[in-house]
């Protein structure tokens, strides 16, 4: 049976988590295929408000099996924290509803430390890392200098590999960064406290998924971040260190030959960019403050403001193309309800010429947005559940986006709650 993927079209934070939570009503299995505990997928439903970092956003629905695929950065410490937070909120996470691929690589105790040290060294040239160790983890994975979760069941081999890695990493920690080394005792404590408890969840998920597919189970792949943060197709080097594209989902999930028949691209009704990097459509001053306030675009932990802008049709069209999205979920439309006029970035101006194609990353620094406006609808749409009841101005705005990206907007969210959604046939 063919699979479905839910992916971010923009810079991340599009609302993928809420779409996964909603659409899992029609699935049996959800698989996270890349990224790590640096995600922040917020889900609000009848059970409460939840934020998922590493766990797939399907864990709230009873009966769904959630899989952490081989492509993720498996950080056992942050996973255990997340599981215990959810358990405090009354959500049960057991080996029946969570499986970890035995081929997922472990984020090791020094990865977070190295991430912090490197961001500090870079000072004002920093990349805006979330300091969760993701970049050092993926570079080590590709250097074959980490271990697979399945190796936790081979203690002799594991101990020897970790000893060799520790020796090498301590040279870097102490001689490159002048930091304290990681001790064997710390490593033992990490194995005991963080790795032992995750062992019951570790399985050959490739076999599990293959059998599930043969049994006609419905499988959903869930991405973290968005197209523009993809390592190969994003705004390099201001990307993440993994592939956020649907094309990578089969590889990172454990079903390398899987066919994906539906790719649901999540687009925000305006733009936000958390972290560094070029952001052509960025708004500043009062206009930015207003949009930020309306959208609640502040960091949950630090309260730091997110960068905001109008919907960027150039970047969104590119996102739809490289994701090969078959349909769109448009989120946070309610946020624009107060605006008299809705701005849209329709093209970029580069070297005196207007362009429609998303350019090479280095050229983005020289691009300016070409802004057009459409009339606002100036009324509360958060209770609307039917396309025909939307104000004509809101419909025109959605149709303008559809026309620009060449895909149908099949879902429109008008509030953060699970049921604040308009479905189109
Ligand atoms: P993700 O990482 O792509 O899942 O997105 P995030 O969860 O980081 O960011 C989306 C934010 O917008 C969350 O705080 C959601 O609760 C909120 N949200 C999602 N959809 C809507 C919506 O339709 N309206 C409003 N007002 N908020 C929404």
């Amino acid at each position: 049976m063919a699979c479905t993927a839910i992916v971010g079209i923009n810079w991340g934070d599009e609302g993928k988590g809420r779409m996964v939570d909603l659409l899992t009503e029609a699935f049996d299995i959800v698989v996270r295929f890349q990224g790590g505990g640096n995600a922040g997928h917020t889900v609000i439903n009848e059970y409460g408000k939840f934020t998922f970092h590493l766990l797939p956003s399907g864990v709230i629905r009873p009966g769904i099996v959630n899989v952490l695929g081989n492509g993720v950065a498996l950080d056992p410490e942050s996973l255990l924290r997340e599981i215990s937070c959810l358990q405090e909120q009354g959500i049960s996470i057991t080996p029946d509803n969570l499986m970890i691929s035995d081929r997922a690589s472990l984020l090791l105790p020094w990865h977070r430390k190295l991430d912090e040290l490197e961001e500090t060294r870079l000072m004002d040239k920093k990349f805006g890392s979330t300091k969760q160790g993701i970049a050092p983890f993926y570079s080590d994975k590709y250097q074959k200098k980490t271990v697979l979760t399945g190796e936790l069941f081979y203690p002799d081999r594991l101990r020897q590999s970790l000893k060799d890695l520790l020796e090498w990493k301590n040279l870097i920690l102490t001689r490159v960064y002048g930091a304290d080394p990681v001790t064997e005792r710390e490593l033992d404590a990490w194995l005991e406290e963080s790795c032992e408890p995750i062992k019951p969840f570790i399985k050959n998920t490739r076999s599990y998924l293959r059998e599930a597919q043969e049994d006609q189970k419905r499988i959903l792949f869930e991405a973290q971040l968005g197209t523009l943060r993809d390592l190969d197709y994003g705004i390099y080097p201001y990307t993440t260190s993994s592939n956020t594209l649907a094309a990578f989902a089969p590889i990172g999930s454990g079903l390398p030959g899987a066919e994906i028949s539906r790719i649901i691209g999540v687009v925000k009704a305006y733009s936000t960019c958390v972290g560094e990097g070029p952001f052509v459509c960025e708004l500043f001053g009062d206009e930015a403050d207003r949009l930020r306030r309306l959208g609640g675009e502040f960091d949950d932990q630090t309260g730091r403001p997110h960068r905001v802008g109008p919907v960027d049709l150039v970047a969104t069209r590119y996102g739809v193309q490289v994701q090969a999205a078959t349909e769109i979920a448009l989120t946070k439309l309610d946020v624009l309800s107060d605006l008299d006029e809705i701005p849209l970035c329709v093209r970029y101006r580069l070297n005196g010429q207007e362009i429609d194609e998303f350019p090479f990353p280095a050229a983005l620094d020289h691009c300016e947005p070409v802004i057009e406006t459409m009339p606002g609808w100036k009324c509360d749409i958060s209770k609307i559940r039917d396309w025909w009841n939307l104000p004509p101005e809101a419909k025109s705005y959605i149709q303008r986006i559809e026309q620009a990206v060449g895909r149908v907007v099949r879902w429109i969210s008008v509030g953060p709650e699970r049921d604040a959604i308009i479905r189109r046939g």
Side-chain angles (χ1 to χ4, degrees), residues 138-205:
Y138 277 108
S139 31
D140 279 0
K141 173 173 170 169
Y142 285 93
Q143 281 199 81
K144 297 159 289 173
K145 289 202 184 277
T146 175
V147 290
L148 305 180
T149 56
E151 289 180 71
L152 295 174
F153 297 99
Y154 297 85
D156 295 339
R157 176 191 158 116
L158 175 73
R159 198 154 285 282
Q160 189 54 51
S161 303
L162 286 176
K163 199 165 168 272
D164 294 344
L165 290 175
L166 181 72
E167 202 178 297
W168 169 66
K169 266 299 162 200
N170 276 343
L171 286 174
I172 299 173
L173 283 168
T174 57
R175 305 222 187 144
V176 175
Y177 293 104
D180 290 337
V182 173
T183 63
E184 280 197 44
R185 251 175 91 173
E186 284 172 306
L187 201 56
D188 286 342
W190 173 79
L191 280 171
E192 191 53 37
E193 289 158 25
S194 303
C195 296
E196 277 303 310
I198 65 162
K199 278 167 77 173
F201 297 99
I202 300 171
K203 308 257 161 64
N204 179 345
T205 54

Side-chain angles (χ1 to χ4, degrees), residues 44-312:
I44 302 176
N45 54 33
E46 73 257 43
Y47 303 103
K49 179 176 178 182
F50 308 92
T51 305
F52 301 112
H53 302 291
L54 182 56
L55 286 172
S57 307
V59 290
I60 306 296
R61 274 202 197 262
I64 297 280
V65 175
N66 298 273
V67 176
L68 291 170
N70 52 283
V72 305
L74 204 288
D75 177 351
E77 273 178 276
S78 90
L79 179 62
L80 289 176
R81 257 199 314 275
E82 195 175 346
I83 290 176
S84 91
C85 255
L86 281 174
Q87 278 167 343
E88 278 166 27
Q89 289 183 276
I91 305 299
S92 155
I93 311 282
T94 69
D96 287 333
N97 69 348
L98 175 66
M99 295 183 190
I100 299 173
S101 164
D102 56 359
R103 284 178 171 271
S105 301
L106 281 170
L107 189 135
L108 299 166
W110 42 79
H111 285 137
R112 209 174 282 119
K113 206 166 170 175
L114 282 165
D115 204 353
E116 270 179 38
L117 288 165
E118 180 57 11
E119 278 288 283
T120 309
R121 187 190 73 80
L122 286 167
M123 300 214 315
D124 59 338
K125 291 189 187 139
K126 65 184 188 302
F127 289 111
S129 163
T130 52
K131 300 182 187 161
Q132 298 287 318
I134 306 298
F137 162 85
Y138 277 108
S139 31
D140 279 0
K141 173 173 170 169
Y142 285 93
Q143 281 199 81
K144 297 159 289 173
K145 289 202 184 277
T146 175
V147 290
L148 305 180
T149 56
E151 289 180 71
L152 295 174
F153 297 99
Y154 297 85
D156 295 339
R157 176 191 158 116
L158 175 73
R159 198 154 285 282
Q160 189 54 51
S161 303
L162 286 176
K163 199 165 168 272
D164 294 344
L165 290 175
L166 181 72
E167 202 178 297
W168 169 66
K169 266 299 162 200
N170 276 343
L171 286 174
I172 299 173
L173 283 168
T174 57
R175 305 222 187 144
V176 175
Y177 293 104
D180 290 337
V182 173
T183 63
E184 280 197 44
R185 251 175 91 173
E186 284 172 306
L187 201 56
D188 286 342
W190 173 79
L191 280 171
E192 191 53 37
E193 289 158 25
S194 303
C195 296
E196 277 303 310
I198 65 162
K199 278 167 77 173
F201 297 99
I202 300 171
K203 308 257 161 64
N204 179 345
T205 54
R206 190 193 66 81
S207 287
Y208 168 75
L209 289 171
R210 190 177 46 78
E211 280 167 28
Q213 229 188 1
E214 279 169 15
D215 293 344
Q216 307 292 310
K217 293 267 194 300
R218 298 156 304 174
I219 302 173
L220 180 66
F221 299 133
E222 176 182 5
Q224 182 214 356
L225 286 163
T227 314
L228 298 161
R229 299 294 188 191
D230 179 85
L231 181 61
D232 288 271
Y233 291 88
I235 49 172
Y236 190 86
Y238 299 98
T239 60
T240 193
S241 303
S242 63
N243 290 103
T244 60
L245 298 190
F248 184 75
I251 302 274
S253 296
L255 278 177
E259 183 193 330
I260 309 182
S261 58
R262 296 182 75 183
I263 299 175
I264 300 168
V266 187
V267 174
K268 215 173 197 169
Y270 56 96
S271 299
T272 55
C273 172
V274 177
E276 310 295 319
F279 185 39
V280 175
C281 67
E282 185 164 12
L283 289 173
F284 299 94
D286 292 347
E287 225 183 334
D289 286 344
R290 179 148 189 239
L291 185 53
R292 197 175 288 126
R293 208 177 49 253
L294 292 169
E297 296 295 348
F298 299 91
D299 186 271
D300 275 348
Q301 252 113 62
T302 62
R304 243 181 311 172
H306 294 166
R307 298 162 76 192
V308 295
V311 71
D312 181 333

